Amino acid sequence: MSDGRRPPPTVRLRRLAAELRRLRAATDLTREEVTEKTGINAATLYRVEKAQAKPQKRTLLALLDLYEAAEEQRANLLAIQRGSDDRGWLRPYHAELYEEYAAYIGFEAEAHTVRNYESLFIPGLAQTEPYARAVIRGVLPTASQKAIEQRVQVRMERQALLAKEDPLRLWAIVDEAAVRRMVGSSEVMREQALHLLQLVQEPHITFQVIPFDKGAHVGMSGSFVHMDFPDPADPEVVYVDTRAGDVFLESEAELRHYKSMFEHLQAVAMGPNDSADLLTKVAEARD
């Protein structure tokens, strides 16, 4: 039985929505005017433009006719519409994940580069299994053991993206608190530091630490993830985990803001070599 949740959007569905918004803007038509000219329900048009619903083929054709889309663009958008439901990354138990997290791992699975700043945790893509289990148990103290193990399994599966033939590019920056805070046990932290030292040997992985002595910095306002995708036409996205809920941001102004923040964090953080030296010291201190 369906739980009534809307399936998470895919990158292709977001791209289709972005292209339709752009085409409507180019014609200077409001949503109300599009509804009047095509008969498409206003709520349906809103959901399509927000990537909350896949347009039916006849709906898409009506919009492309109204916007006088060029033949090549029509063919491309129709092809995207046909493949917009592809969620090859889903597993049966993923249905139990909350909607935003399911969407996040879907975007991550299709990303070219992930730029992740974390103030308190080691990024999920770089966590060891014992560290992930200790973090999830600590953050979700009322979760069942089954729920914890499912989340751990999802986190470990995500890391396969770093080992595939054309691996995900990961640039992670963390506050020193993330590598110093005791999570699980001394042995868990030692294993985590050694795991990070192995990861940073890979050319597609960059890891930097912002030391305590740098004082206040822009990352203190909270963690975030910026993703871009192999096709430049696919809209970039920023993910922010807040107390009020998880948020996906994709406006040009929002993207500029978080790109600028990440550049500031890169500048204030120790370089990759010095960061690796710190990880070595952390591992030795846990012996």
Side-chain angles (χ1 to χ4, degrees):
M1 179 181 294
S2 170
D3 62 4
R5 296 189 307 175
R6 185 174 65 248
T10 63
V11 171
R12 283 170 290 281
L13 189 59
R14 289 178 59 246
R15 179 177 175 182
L16 180 60
E19 287 295 312
L20 290 174
R21 292 196 304 269
R22 189 187 64 77
L23 284 170
R24 179 169 64 80
T27 60
D28 291 324
L29 292 172
T30 64
R31 287 200 188 99
E32 291 74 17
E33 289 170 332
V34 171
T35 294
E36 182 180 340
K37 292 176 180 292
T38 63
I40 297 172
N41 180 274
T44 297
L45 181 61
Y46 176 85
R47 290 194 299 270
V48 166
E49 289 195 351
K50 293 295 185 180
Q52 295 176 359
K54 173 184 174 180
Q56 295 183 359
K57 184 176 180 180
R58 65 175 179 271
T59 299
L60 179 57
L61 287 172
L63 292 173
L64 295 176
D65 287 342
L66 177 63
Y67 302 149
E68 299 182 352
E71 283 303 314
E72 182 177 358
Q73 187 170 37
R74 289 171 66 93
N76 287 340
L77 294 183
L78 285 166
I80 292 172
Q81 187 264 354
R82 289 193 296 272
S84 62
D85 286 334
D86 182 20
R87 295 185 179 88
W89 48 272
L90 281 174
R91 302 290 183 271
Y93 56 85
H94 285 184
E96 299 182 28
L97 300 175
Y98 64 94
E99 181 180 324
E100 291 82 2
Y101 186 45
Y104 175 87
I105 61 176
F107 294 153
E108 182 183 72
E110 299 189 54
H112 175 268
T113 303
V114 165
R115 296 173 181 85
N116 186 186
Y117 167 71
E118 293 290 345
S119 57
L120 297 174
F121 306 112
I122 302 300
L125 286 170
Q127 292 179 6
T128 64
E129 186 171 329
Y131 180 95
R133 184 172 290 108
V135 164
I136 294 168
R137 185 178 290 122
V139 172
L140 301 173
T142 62
S144 68
Q145 189 60 34
K146 178 182 177 182
I148 290 172
E149 292 305 318
Q150 285 179 337
R151 283 177 173 263
V152 171
Q153 186 173 353
V154 170
R155 195 159 298 182
M156 295 303 101
E157 287 175 354
R158 287 168 51 205
Q159 296 178 8
L161 297 170
L162 298 175
K164 63 182 183 175
E165 184 175 351
D166 182 16
L168 174 69
R169 276 66 174 167
L170 172 64
W171 194 315
I173 302 176
V174 303
D175 192 274
E176 188 173 347
V179 298
R180 295 285 190 186
R181 178 178 296 277
M182 177 77 75
V183 174
S185 67
S186 288
E187 180 56 33
V188 168
M189 293 306 298
R190 178 176 179 275
E191 181 183 337
Q192 179 63 70
L194 292 174
H195 178 63
L196 284 167
L197 284 168
Q198 287 184 318
L199 286 180
V200 298
Q201 302 303 313
E202 300 295 336
H204 57 282
I205 298 175
T206 302
F207 185 80
Q208 293 181 264
V209 178
I210 301 175
F212 289 139
D213 62 15
K214 288 294 184 179
H217 57 79
V218 296
M220 294 176 71
S221 59
S223 304
F224 63 93
V225 180
H226 170 250
M227 300 184 212
D228 61 34
F229 301 92
D231 190 331
D234 290 332
E236 298 176 21
V237 65
V238 166
Y239 169 83
V240 183
D241 185 357
T242 73
R243 289 184 177 274
D246 301 349
V247 180
F248 291 99
L249 308 172
E250 54 188 326
S251 75
E252 290 187 10
E254 290 163 339
L255 292 173
R256 282 197 304 270
H257 173 69
Y258 280 94
K259 284 180 180 178
S260 176
M261 283 184 64
F262 200 81
E263 289 171 357
H264 281 290
L265 293 169
Q266 287 175 283
V268 76
M270 294 188 291
N273 291 337
D274 288 340
S275 297
D277 289 343
L278 176 61
L279 289 173
T280 300
K281 292 177 183 176
V282 169
E284 291 173 348
R286 302 297 183 184
D287 276 341

